[in-house]
Structures are given as structure tokens and as C-alpha cells.
Amino acid sequence: MTKQEVADRIVEIGIVPVVRASSPKQAAQAAAAVCAGGIPIVEITMTVPGAIEVIAQLATTAGSQVLIGAGTVLDAETAQRCIDAGAQFLVSPGFDPDTVKLANRLGKLIMAGALTPTEVIAAWKAGSDFVKIFPCGSVGGANYIKALKAPLPQVPMVPTGGINLNTAADFIRAGSAALGIGGELVFRLRPRIGQRKRDYTGRAKLCRHCS
């Protein structure tokens, strides 16, 4: 897929499941649960032991049906290894200019992290396709996204942190392009992940239609 196709798919789905796990096996199981639940996108964070090998395994087994992302990518060297393993997009909790440059040079989508307006502008100007607002729940949640979007409506923001089924609609109404969701979706509700996916995406689509 092209970078634009990946971006369009992320916005269409509306959620990015973030997998953090204590072992490669647990990460692979969580990713499989996400896919089985009907969510064709997963972000494997670099905090997972053997994360790059997990990405490579998913790229082989899931094929083109699932968007595979690498999360908590802190430098260009790690970004390159993730891309070589099959990652189609990169996510970082902060803004590293060299990582953004690499992603742009290789035509891969990147969500650089930011929190303050200055950081958001810096990441966007450097070429970040989306800007990950993290940790969003600690600084006002949906109200903070709404405040950022007022002067920066052109920046597609993906908040992470503090998002659950009760707050998802507020984040979408505030102007989020998509939502980064971790344990609330992936681990605690694994047996009901298909229903939970329908709940999240249904509310996202309804809010976009009404806004």
C-alpha cells in the first residue's frame, strides 16, 4: 500500500490498537485477537521483547490484509529495522527529526508524538503524517484535543492515553483523526474484542457523521 492508502485506511478504521506485552508470544496472541475481532490494523510497540521479530512474523502470516505498525520507535536505526521487518507505519511517543526524515525518504507513514502546541507544530512541519498526542488523558483528554484543533485544524491528531469506550465519542467530536487504544481494547477485553471493535468504530462513524 502507498503511504496515502495507509493514511486513508487508518482514518477509515478510526482506531489503532496498541499492543504492549511482556513476551513475544503474548504480543502475537494479542495481535491475532485484534485481527480475529475484525480490526485490520495493529501497532506492536518496541517495549515488547523481540518486537521486530513479532512484526516480521505478522508480516508473513497476516499478509496484506492487516496494517502492521511499529510503536515506541525512538530513533532512525530502529525505524529502519522495523520497516525492513515489514512495518507499514511508525509511531513514536515523541518527536525525533531523524526518524521522521527516514520515514519520509522511504515513503512510510509516521505518527510522531507531541504534547504542547510547539511540539505539534514542529512534528507537523517536519513531515509527520499524523501527530500522536501523548499522554493525552493526563492533560485534559478530549478537551485538550479540542483546544489544540482550534488553532491547528489542518493537523491530523491521534490521541493516545485516557481513551475508553466512554470517552471515545468525545475525542472524535473534538476533532481526532483516529484513536490510539491499548489495554482497554486489546487485553482486558480480548474475549469480546470483536464486539468492542464494533462499539468503538460505530461511535466514531456516528460522531463523524453528526459533526
Side-chain angles (χ1 to χ4, degrees), residues 36-160:
I39 307 175
I41 181 172
V42 65
E43 174 190 330
I44 305 297
T45 66
M46 291 301 101
T47 57
V48 174
I52 293 175
E53 288 73 20
V54 173
I55 290 171
Q57 177 186 349
L58 288 173
T60 299
T61 58
S64 60
Q65 300 303 312
V66 178
L67 287 181
I68 303 167
T72 321
V73 178
L74 304 180
D75 54 68
E77 180 182 357
T78 303
Q80 181 70 67
R81 293 175 63 204
C82 291
I83 291 169
D84 291 343
Q88 295 165 287
F89 66 93
L90 305 170
V91 184
S92 175
F95 169 48
D96 178 65
D98 290 339
T99 303
V100 174
K101 287 179 184 178
L102 175 75
N104 286 332
R105 178 167 59 82
L106 298 179
K108 295 297 180 180
L109 186 143
I110 184 164
M111 301 183 194
L115 188 61
T116 68
T118 299
E119 293 169 351
V120 171
I121 292 169
W124 176 244
K125 284 187 174 181
S128 187
D129 301 285
F130 295 87
V131 177
K132 172 179 175 173
I133 309 301
F134 175 81
C136 193
S138 301
V139 293
N143 287 333
Y144 187 65
I145 294 297
K146 183 177 181 180
L148 285 175
K149 290 292 289 187
L152 301 170
Q154 75 278 26
V155 180
M157 300 179 190
V158 180
T160 305

